[in-house]
Amino acid sequence: MILVTGATGSIGQYLVRHLKNQGSKFKALVRDEAKGRALGCDYVVGDFDKPDTLRAAFEGIDRLFLNVAPSESMARQLNTAIDVAKAAGVSRVVPVSSPGASTTSKLKIGRWHGEIEEHLQASGLGWSILRPGSFMQNLLGAAPLIKSEGKIIGGYKDGRVAFIDCYDIAACGAVLLTGNDHVGKTFVLTGREALSYPEVAQKFSAKLGKPVTYVDLPVEQVVASAKAKGTPAALAEEFGQFMTVIASGYAARTTQGIKEITGREPRTLDQFLDENLQAFR
Ligand SMILES: NC(=O)c1ccc[n+]([C@@H]2O[C@H](COP(=O)([O-])OP(=O)(O)OC[C@H]3O[C@@H](n4cnc5c(N)ncnc54)[C@H](OP(=O)(O)O)[C@@H]3O)[C@@H](O)[C@H]2O)c1
């Protein structure tokens, strides 16, 4: 039996769809019963902050998709889950990590993921690690401003990003959770084309039939604005560092990870926009 955590999140919702479509036996871990019912699959209620609920939820689980929203608590939450998985006899864990995961990363998120990867690798459990780059779905956060003012705002300068569709990350997860290949491997996953934000804005203009421009601002200004809109300070600061990393060209690299796992090419930003255009109109 497979257990999908973060099942209501950006990757999890696609993973639930993939596993349903291929007729796999799985359960979703949810914090909220109503969200579990809405997923339309078997589910179990559990919370990474309540280890007892994990012990009950992991009973009879063989393969675990390990994913949660990024936060200061993430390493504690997922390292506890790894310990519970080990005690429950789980054979293989597939975590969502990030490309620069390392306990010595300059980015906090990179360090949190580094701690989780090290803990998993030392656990004796089977593992296959997914390190996806920036999600196309992040662009949904820009939808209100694209709709109202035809603008995308950021501090990315002309740094390119090989945006990845969460659909593809989930497709990789589905293969790793249901097959026997790739144990002990770490995959950096990216989209197939690296685009700058001005190029992304051009794509929006063409699809929406109205001008959309990218406005580059000092990173500090973008961070201050995110905080003013309610983003927790630590995450907003982290986001600022992340923009600087993108501006340096770090996110421009493309890899063959998705093709290696699924046998097909990654989806393009054009495909994502065609399917999600309504959200930006
Ligand atoms: N965004 C990017 O571009 C990017 C790039 C590389 C790596 N990543 C990594 O991708 C991962 C997922 O990030 P995301 O932003 O897409 O998050 P997400 O998967 O959308 O996170 C939300 C999910 O986490 C669940 N959750 C939150 N707290 C929980 C708890 N205490 N117990 C159980 N479940 C809990 C939520 O459940 P509820 O429905 O109950 O809230 C929801 O299913 C992170 O590790 C992030 O670092 C992201």
Side-chain angles (χ1 to χ4, degrees), residues 18 94 130 167-177 189 257-258 261-262:
H18 286 307
V94 179
L130 297 177
Y167 175 98
D168 284 334
I169 306 168
C172 291
V175 170
L176 298 172
L177 290 164
L189 305 177
I258 289 173
I261 299 173
T262 66

Side-chain angles (χ1 to χ4, degrees), residues 244-267:
T244 308
V245 167
I246 288 180
S248 76
Y250 179 81
R253 171 185 171 206
T254 56
T255 69
Q256 293 296 308
I258 289 173
K259 192 160 186 198
E260 197 181 331
I261 299 173
T262 66
R264 58 165 185 76
E265 293 292 341
R267 287 153 61 94

Side-chain angles (χ1 to χ4, degrees), residues 114-176:
E115 283 174 36
I116 297 161
E117 288 195 5
E118 282 192 4
H119 192 69
L120 179 58
Q121 287 167 348
S123 70
L125 289 160
W127 52 266
S128 305
I129 295 172
L130 297 177
R131 290 182 171 184
S134 292
F135 302 173
M136 291 179 189
Q137 280 72 7
N138 295 348
L139 293 168
L140 292 167
L145 206 58
I146 290 176
K147 281 185 196 176
S148 61
E149 295 182 36
K151 283 183 190 161
I152 302 173
I153 285 177
Y156 308 100
K157 303 204 165 28
D158 54 3
R160 290 175 179 274
V161 181
F163 287 103
I164 183 167
D165 193 327
C166 288
Y167 175 98
D168 284 334
I169 306 168
C172 291
V175 170
L176 298 172

Side-chain angles (χ1 to χ4, degrees), residues 6-11 29 31-32 35 46-49 67-70 74 77 96-99 109 113 132-135 138:
T8 56
S10 47
I11 301 168
L29 181 98
R31 288 190 288 184
D32 174 347
K35 287 191 181 180
D47 187 325
F48 285 120
D49 288 324
N67 187 32
V68 72
M74 185 170 71
Q77 291 173 326
V96 176
S97 186
S98 73
I109 290 184
H113 281 301
S134 292
F135 302 173
N138 295 348

